[in-house]
């Protein structure tokens, strides 16, 4: 009987054992059927391009951030961004964080793939775009993780990257861009092809972008380190492959405008109607009778062009919903309703860097006698820059442009007055690139009418953003080191190239905060 | 490698069982068999039937049957056969041992207390409660169905110690249940649910506070709480619910036991000698919102005291704004705006323009400016819940079956919202021969719900009533949902859809079809040995469609004819196991229980979503009508876990039991070298009152101590081992777009481990009139598999890793007292339960002291080292050194961030009372939550918008002399503040201040109340019924709380993001009738 039980128990054990047949089958079960473990450099590059342009020229950072700080636009209705409440503290955290772990990480992968293939037409554009992206980070925050960043899955990389001093970041930019320009200018093939939505993969075009970006970054240092600025401008102007020579060279991302990938400002306008042209901007456009006015702005219901003051409380801002100008037709087809979609705004290219800006940089370099240029060349570059901006924005009336160039405020005066004119004209031309317009204002203090609004939480226009709350949480020691180096983590601390000792002083603007 | 080591351990345990078995086998003699039943004829399992003088005996199986053999040497004698079982009075019968087979049945009368009887434990095994060394609490059908509730879990509220529950703030929403604290930093902290031995899914699609829900699919986010899959169980089908409180009781469930197990056993057919019994239960309740905000009715829409409606988008005066800081609602017909030309600066002279008629969205110019105090409450309808269950059961001695069909029809408290559920459950068992029994059940459930109310931002009903004008006439919105020219008609066109539009023009439907079933066969190998093979599946398809009508504000692109989001989910979880169970007496003093088995679990899950903000033809919400390329996502996951397990328990003299268990799992989700993990447990129980007989007295009738140590492991989610690239369905023009996943995976993951110890004391006094069951436990979860936030500059947002440790320790007690039980039929039973749990995040990653669980409006819910799991971390007021508010221009300033408080309650409890007087019964349950914080976004915005009554403080009709001087120190002069500000400026300055809007979430609720009456037997018999009971029932009848304006109890999901409230639809307060007819 005992044997019978054992036999039955044994049979049970055998069934049990068959149930437990384990081994390699389990590993197969865990093979991810949803996502690939490797992809082409091309598909990564397209996505990174779209995403980084959306980030820095899109809603959160640009249209509801930089454009209010640069006072191209003012906010009506709830004015939390324009009074800096909702630009403070944690507000830019997602912008900062995502830039690293989304686009910069993807661009790093593209660079790695290009390097592995020894193909400069792959890694070169990625390096240039990475530098363009990283510039927004350092100019908005100052010291940022750079050399030690993006390395958590490579050997020797750090999960908690250290913050580089901004000066080191800039040095890195210059070296990187010079190297990229050289390789791009000599590169055969165009391996990114149509996956490069900016230049169709052309290494020659990217070489020009590299040199032009080099010039933009060099000019940023003009107050803090004029020697380096001049030397780097020289390198940039003489970079292999040259700089932008016409609007056809512009680094511009055209948008499909299919309702999914629309120009980010157009997409933003589809959702909200609380932007108006800033009074600061409008006063200058109107005062100079600028031909771009009708492109930049709509008339109000009353048929006039009027701006809304920046930084009002919502009660005071509210009337400007009606009485101030919406942005113009090129972005936004209807003067009176924001519920009209499509139109030219949806496909309007985002301008990463333009020929007009390069000419303004050359004009300023000339006026300052930097970059191998001399003051006698400044007026020509300046007029060419304004003409390029008119062309870029579709202003074709040559008579009006000529009349504009002849106006006393516009006609180039040279000297310090010339530098002011260059700064103001560059600011006008940079409409739509709030980040760069804000950086330039911090560098030049022009136009001098930019000041914090009456309801703003600060009595000065912010000079940087608060560090990412995520970084403060998980990379706190390195953030602390950056704060020790740079100054307290608030709106008032100036980044390295914006130090008060070297920067121009602006009337009514906070100069030296703790 | 790991497997062979573990198998040897497993065989060692098995050897103990089988090695002993032959030695215990009896020699041939008289075979005695029979069945032990209760007085109702139901089988009594686990009863001991023995001949004390001969020291032989056996135990009854699940069918109540026993068989054992008396030794041949005793043949010819007459002996006493005893049937005993805790919870029953013993019974005996004289038998003559003749050498041939003897049959003897027993019918035992109950003598049950809370501490005795049979409970369902791990793997569905029934065990004598006195032998349990772990904490298990069992709730019976009658306790579960005191009143009707849509969700069976909600009926556990306040009744089970060690459990913290938060019912959804929304009809049909998710109920969050946590047993003995959260163990996992980022993983699932919900218990495992098992129905009739088969694990079933409790998947949810809850929303977080700011939109959530299917946020990933739709830019606008649906912001709806779609409930969770456990809602499917019909409470009327449930016989018992056993709550295995944590790893010790649940160790045999392995990977998923750390959070405890809710074990549901459904009702079964019994031997009715072929007669079919019919039972009908019906309930009908009427439902109202429990708590609505306390609105002010003094000031209407607008800002700065002025308002004129022109187009609702800003063309008038403040008519694009959605707040109530407008003119005083004093019936004025003119003078809602100021004389033109004066800026609206509150410090300048203001004169209302008496020549300008007041203008509103729904009335001709000059209509009186008055409040509509009931404008929110009148939006809500009286909901209605009708639930019916009809069950047939019966059987013979060889075959039993039960069939139940149930339906639940709910008309929600928001308009046009319905929930329909249909359940059917068929179960049966067949005794094929003396050795083989087969049983199975199959259940089909259909859930079909329409137009659930949105919560949170974007589409939330209550969000709209937080941003609102107090003069808005709800009937105007009800009467005219759409404009004559199409599109919606509303009081505001910048931010809000007409609330009726949300319910009528944005059709939403969620349907879940589900089949669960299992079959099992038990083979009676020997008197003491059974083999059971069981396989079961839980299969469902869940389809959620949300359409947006043309003209919908947010998400739908106005250039198109509407928008949609669709979501389809398929889940199939299959579990098979094989068990050998041995149950053996060695003489009258020693009893052995042993189980060895193996199991295989396989889960398959598919999830497909599509959405587009633009369709072409109105009313056709599918991809072929998409004007804008839909965004598509799809996900397939699979997981397999193979297991072997064994347990062995020895009971000496019915009073001392020692049990050891061991289990080894092999999980597909862990890397090959780390995918095998073993975990043991040991527990013991000593019935002191039997061990030390002199303890027993007139006062003390029962005393037991127990203790247990256990370790359980847990695997990862699928696909956490390799970092991947993620493609997008939408192209950039025609170009594909791919990005590296933001989460870095870990190819070397190890299993999570939870170690837990508990001790318990059970006391019964005065023959069980009062019982006390207490437990203390401590547990620690290490090697947590977390997707930890890392420095974004590292190139990843998060990293999967084994990190961190959470400790929980706590105390729980259940006191059950029957103060009155008279011969005249009057009784009063009262139970208290109390649970406190202290959790502590001991460590995270090196150098990292916080993990953000959830983030909203500048406030985080975090796991911070040294703090309880789940602290609200956010901005506090700026203060001077003396602690006074630091004011700037008369207004409070935001200071530093810090920990505001923990969301964990200090303790929770329930007090349940049942009175019986003859045919009448009265019962009620109070539910307590003490402590724990919540962050209330409803209050934050409600203050900001000036619609809550507390925002009246400091308002002045005289705009030239604004009303508030906030107490504090001026940050420039360092002197006490003297600057006056308007109420509007003050209340608008406070938002995103967590210190201001975090509340103590203590509350007391009258959870349910029932007054029932058994109709006279004569009446019942005319209905061919044994009993007819009719009852008045009520749920959530009363709440006491310090949290203003909202119901303090809410949950958006079964996830870890709790404690953040925004715009939940209020819980319902229900009153109704219940009818129960038993044949």
């Amino acid at each position: 009987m005992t044997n019978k039980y054992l036999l039955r128990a044994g049979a049970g054990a055998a069934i049990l054992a068959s149930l437990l047949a384990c081994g390699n089958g389990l590993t197969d079960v865990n093979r991810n059927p949803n996502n690939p473990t490797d992809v082409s450099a091309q598909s990564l590059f397209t996505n990174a391009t779209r995403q980084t342009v959306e980030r820095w020229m899109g809603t959160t950072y640009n249209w509801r951030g930089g454009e209010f700080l640069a006072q191209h636009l003012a906010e009506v209705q709830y004015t939390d961004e324009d009074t800096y409440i909702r630009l403070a503290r944690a507000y830019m955290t997602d912008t900062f964080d995502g830039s690293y772990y989304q686009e910069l990480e993807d661009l790093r992968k593209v660079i790695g793939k290009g390097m592995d293939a020894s193909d400069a037409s792959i890694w070169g554009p990625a390096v240039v775009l990475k530098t363009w992206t990283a510039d927004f980070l350092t100019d908005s925050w100052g010291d940022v993780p750079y050399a030690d960043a993006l390395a958590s899955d490579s050997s020797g990389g750090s999960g908690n990257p250290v913050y580089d001093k901004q000066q080191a970041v800039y040095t890195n930019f210059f070296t990187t861009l010079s190297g990229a320009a050289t390789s791009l200018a000599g590169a055969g093939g165009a391996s990114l092809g149509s996956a490069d939505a900016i230049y169709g993969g052309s290494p020659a075009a990217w070489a020009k972008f590299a040199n032009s970006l080099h010039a933009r970054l060099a000019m940023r240092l003009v107050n803090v380190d004029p020697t380096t600025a001049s030397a780097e401008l020289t390198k940039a102007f003489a970079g292999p492959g040259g700089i932008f020579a016409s609007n056809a060279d512009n680094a511009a991302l055209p948008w499909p405008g299919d309702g999914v990938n629309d120009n980010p400002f157009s997409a933003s306008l589809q959702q909200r109607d609380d932007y108006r042209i800033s009074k600061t901007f409008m006063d200058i456009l109107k005062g100079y009778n600028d031909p771009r006015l009708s492109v930049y702005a709509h008339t109000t219901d009353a048929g006039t062009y009027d701006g809304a003051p920046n930084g009002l409380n919502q009660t005071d801002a509210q009337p400007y919903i009606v009485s101030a100008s919406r942005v113009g037709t090129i972005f936004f087809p209807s003067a009176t309703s924001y519920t009209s979609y499509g139109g030219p705004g949806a496909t309007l290219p985002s301008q990463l860097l333009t020929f007009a800006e390069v000419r303004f940089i050359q004009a300023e370099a000339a006026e300052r006698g930097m970059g191998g240029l001399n003051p006698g060349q400044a007026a020509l570059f300046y007029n060419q820059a304004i003409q390029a901006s008119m062309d870029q924005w579709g202003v074709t009336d040559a008579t009006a442009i000529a009349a504009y160039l002849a106006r006393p405020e516009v006609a180039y005066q040279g000297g310090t007055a010339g530098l002011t004119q260059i700064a103001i004209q560059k600011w006008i031309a940079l409409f739509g690139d709030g980040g760069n317009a804000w950086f330039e204002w911090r560098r030049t203090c022009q136009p001098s009418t930019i000041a914090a609004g009456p309801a703003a939480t600060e009595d000065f226009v912010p000079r940087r953003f608060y560090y990412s709350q995520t970084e403060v949480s998980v990379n706190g020691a390195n953030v602390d080191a950056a704060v020790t180096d740079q100054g307290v983590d608030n709106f008032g601390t100036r980044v390295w190239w914006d130090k008060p000792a070297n920067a121009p002083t602006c009337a009514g603007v906070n100069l030296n905060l703790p | 490698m790991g497997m062979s080591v573990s198998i040897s351990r497993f065989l060692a345990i098995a050897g103990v069982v089988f090695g002993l078995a032959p030695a215990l086998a009896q020699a041939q003699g008289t075979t005695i068999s029979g069945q032990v039943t209760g007085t109702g004829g139901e089988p009594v399992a686990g009863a001991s039937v023995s001949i004390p003088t001969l020291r032989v005996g056996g135990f009854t199986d699940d069918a109540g049957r026993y068989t054992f053999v008396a030794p041949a040497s005793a043949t010819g004698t007459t002996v006493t056969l005893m049937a005993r079982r805790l919870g029953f009075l013993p019974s005996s019968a004289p038998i003559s041992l003749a050498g041939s087979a003897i049959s003897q049945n027993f019918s035992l009368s109950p003598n049950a207390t809370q501490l005795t009887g049979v409970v369902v434990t791990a793997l569905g095994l029934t065990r004598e409660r006195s032998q349990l060394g772990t904490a298990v609490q069992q709730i019976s059908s009658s306790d579960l169905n005191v009143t009707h509730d849509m969700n069976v879990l909600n009926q556990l509220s306040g009744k089970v110690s060690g459990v913290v529950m938060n019912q959804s703030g929304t009809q049909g929403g998710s109920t969050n249940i946590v047993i003995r604290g959260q163990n996992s930093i980022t993983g699932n902290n919900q218990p495992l649910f098992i129905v009739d031995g088969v694990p079933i899914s409790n998947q949810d699609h809850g929303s977080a506070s700011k939109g959530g829900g299917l946020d990933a699919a739709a830019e606008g986010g649906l912001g709806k709480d779609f409930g969770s899959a456990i809602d499917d169980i019909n409470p009327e089908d449930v016989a018992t619910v056993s709550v295995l409180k944590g790893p010790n009781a649940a160790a045999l469930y392995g990977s998923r036991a750390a959070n405890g197990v809710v074990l549901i056993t459904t009702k079964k057919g019994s031997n009715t000698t072929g007669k079919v019994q019919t039972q009908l239960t019906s309930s009908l309740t009427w439902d109202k919102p429990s708590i609505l905000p306390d609105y002010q009715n003094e000031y209407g829409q607008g800002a700065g005291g002025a308002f004129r409606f022109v187009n609702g988008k800003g063309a008038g005066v403040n008519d694009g704004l959605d707040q109530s800081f407008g003119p005083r609602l004093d019936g004025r017909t003119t003078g809602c705006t100021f004389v033109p030309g004066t800026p609206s600066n509150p410090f300048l002279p203001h004169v209302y323009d008496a020549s300008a008629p007041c203008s509103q969205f729904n009335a001709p110019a000059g209509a009186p400016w008055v409040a509509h105090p009931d404008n929110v409450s009148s939006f809500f309808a009286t909901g209605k819940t009708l639930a019916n269950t009809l069950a047939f059961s019966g059987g013979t001695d060889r075959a039993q079956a039960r069939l139940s069909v149930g339906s639940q029809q709910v008309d929600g408290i928001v308009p046009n919202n319905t929930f329909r559920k249909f359940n059917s459950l068929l179960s049966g068992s067949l005794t094929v021969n003396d050795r083989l029994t087969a049983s199975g059940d199959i259940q089909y459930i259909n859930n079909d719900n329409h137009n659930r109310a949105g919560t949170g931002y974007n589409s939330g009903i209550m969000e709209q009533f937080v941003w609102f004008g107090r003069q808005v006439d709800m009937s105007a919105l009800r009467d005219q949902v759409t404009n004559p020219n199409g599109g919606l008609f509303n009081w505001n066109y910048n931010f809000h859809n007409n609330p009726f539009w949300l319910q009528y023009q944005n059709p939403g439907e969620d349907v879940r079809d589900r089949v669960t079933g299992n079959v099992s066969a038990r083979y009676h190998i020997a008197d003491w040995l059974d083999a059971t093979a069981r396989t079961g599946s839980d299969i469902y398809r869940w389809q959620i469609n949300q359409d947006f009508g043309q003209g919908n504000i947010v998400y739908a692109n106005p250039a198109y004819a509407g928008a949609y989001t669709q979501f389809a989910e398929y889940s199939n979880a299959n579990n098979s196991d094989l068990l050998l169970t041995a149950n053996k007496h060695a003489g009258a003093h020693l009893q052995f229980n042993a189980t060895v088995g193996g199991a295989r679990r396989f889960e398959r899950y598919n999830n497909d979503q599509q959405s587009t903000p633009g369709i072409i033809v109105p009313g056709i919400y599918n991809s072929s009508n998409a004007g804008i390329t839909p965004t598509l996502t799809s996900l397939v996951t699979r997981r397999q876990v193979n297991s072997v397990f064994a347990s062995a328990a020895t009971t000496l003299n019915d009073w001392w039991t020692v049990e050891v268990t061991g289990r080894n799992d092999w999980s597909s989700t862990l890397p090959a070298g780390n995918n095998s993990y073993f975990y043991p447990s040991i527990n013991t129980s000593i019935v002191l009152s039997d061990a030390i007989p002199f303890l027993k007295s007139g006062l003390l009738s029962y005393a037991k101590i127990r203790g247990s140590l256990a370790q359980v492991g847990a695997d990862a989610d699928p696909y956490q081992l390799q970092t991947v690239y993620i493609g997008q369905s939408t192209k950039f023009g025609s170009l594909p777009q791919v990005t590296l996943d933001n989460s870095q995976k870990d190819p070397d993951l190890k299993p999570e481990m939870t170690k837990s110890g508990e001790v318990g004391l059970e006391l019964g006094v005065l023959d069980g009139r009062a019982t006390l069951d207490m437990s203390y436990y401590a547990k620690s979860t290490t090697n947590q598999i977390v997707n930890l936030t890392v420095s974004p500059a590292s190139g990843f947002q998060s990293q999967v890793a084994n990190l961190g440790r959470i400790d929980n320790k706590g105390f729980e007690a259940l006191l059950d007292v029957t103060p009155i039980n008279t011969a005249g039929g009057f009784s009063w039973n009262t139970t208290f339960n109390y649970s406190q749990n202290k959790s502590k995040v001991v460590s995270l990653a090196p150098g990292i002291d916080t993990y953000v669980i959830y983030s909203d409006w500048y406030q985080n819910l975090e796991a911070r080292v040294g703090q309880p799991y789940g602290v609200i971390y956010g901005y506090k007021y700026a203060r001077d050194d003396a602690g006074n508010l630091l004011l700037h221009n008369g207004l409070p300033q935001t200071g530093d961030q810090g920990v505001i408080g923990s969301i964990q309650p200090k303790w929770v409890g329930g007090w349940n009372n049942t009175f019986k007087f003859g045919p009448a019964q009265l019962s009620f349950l109070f539910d307590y939550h003490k402590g724990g914080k919540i962050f209330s976004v409803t209050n934050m915005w409600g203050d900001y918008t000036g619609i809550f009554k507390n925002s009246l403080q400091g308002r002045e009709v005289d705009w030239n002399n604004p009303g508030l001087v906030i107490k504090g120190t001026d940050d420039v002069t360092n002197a006490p503040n003297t600057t006056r500000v308007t109420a509007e400026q003050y209340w608008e300055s406070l938002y995103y201040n967590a210190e201001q809007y975090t509340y103590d979430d203590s509350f007391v609720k009258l959870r349910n109340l029932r007054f029932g009456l058994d109709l006279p037997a004569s009446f019942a018999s005319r209905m061919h019924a044994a009993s007819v009971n009719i009852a008045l029932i009520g749920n959530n009848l009363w709440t006491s709380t310090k949290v203003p304006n909202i119901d303090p109890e809410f949950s958006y999901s079964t996830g870890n993001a709790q404690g953040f409230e925004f715009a939940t639809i209020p819980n319902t307060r229900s009153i109704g009738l219940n009818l129960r007819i038993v044949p």
Side-chain angles (χ1 to χ4, degrees), chain A residues 5 8 16 20 22 30 34 36 50 77-78 80 89 100-101 106 150 152-153 261 314 316 318 341 469 471, chain B residues 3 318 322-323 494 525-526 557-558 598 636 643-644 668 725 731 737 739 744 791-793 797 875 897:
Chain A
Y5 293 154
R8 287 170 183 162
L16 191 66
L20 301 173
C22 62
N30 204 40
N34 303 298
R50 194 259 312 151
Q77 200 127 322
Y78 299 112
D80 297 337
R89 300 185 174 85
Y100 281 97
Y101 68 71
D106 285 354
L150 310 175
S152 72
D153 69 343
N261 288 299
Q314 65 180 43
D316 294 341
Q318 165 84 175
Y341 278 58
Q469 288 298 301
E471 282 286 298
Chain B
M3 175 146 181
N318 298 324
D322 45 356
Q323 49 201 273
N494 269 349
I525 299 170
N557 184 324
V636 177
S643 315
V644 291
S668 68
Y725 291 86
K731 306 290 174 270
Q737 302 190 91
T739 181
Q744 188 175 20
S791 163
Q797 185 175 29
Y875 288 103
Q897 283 176 302

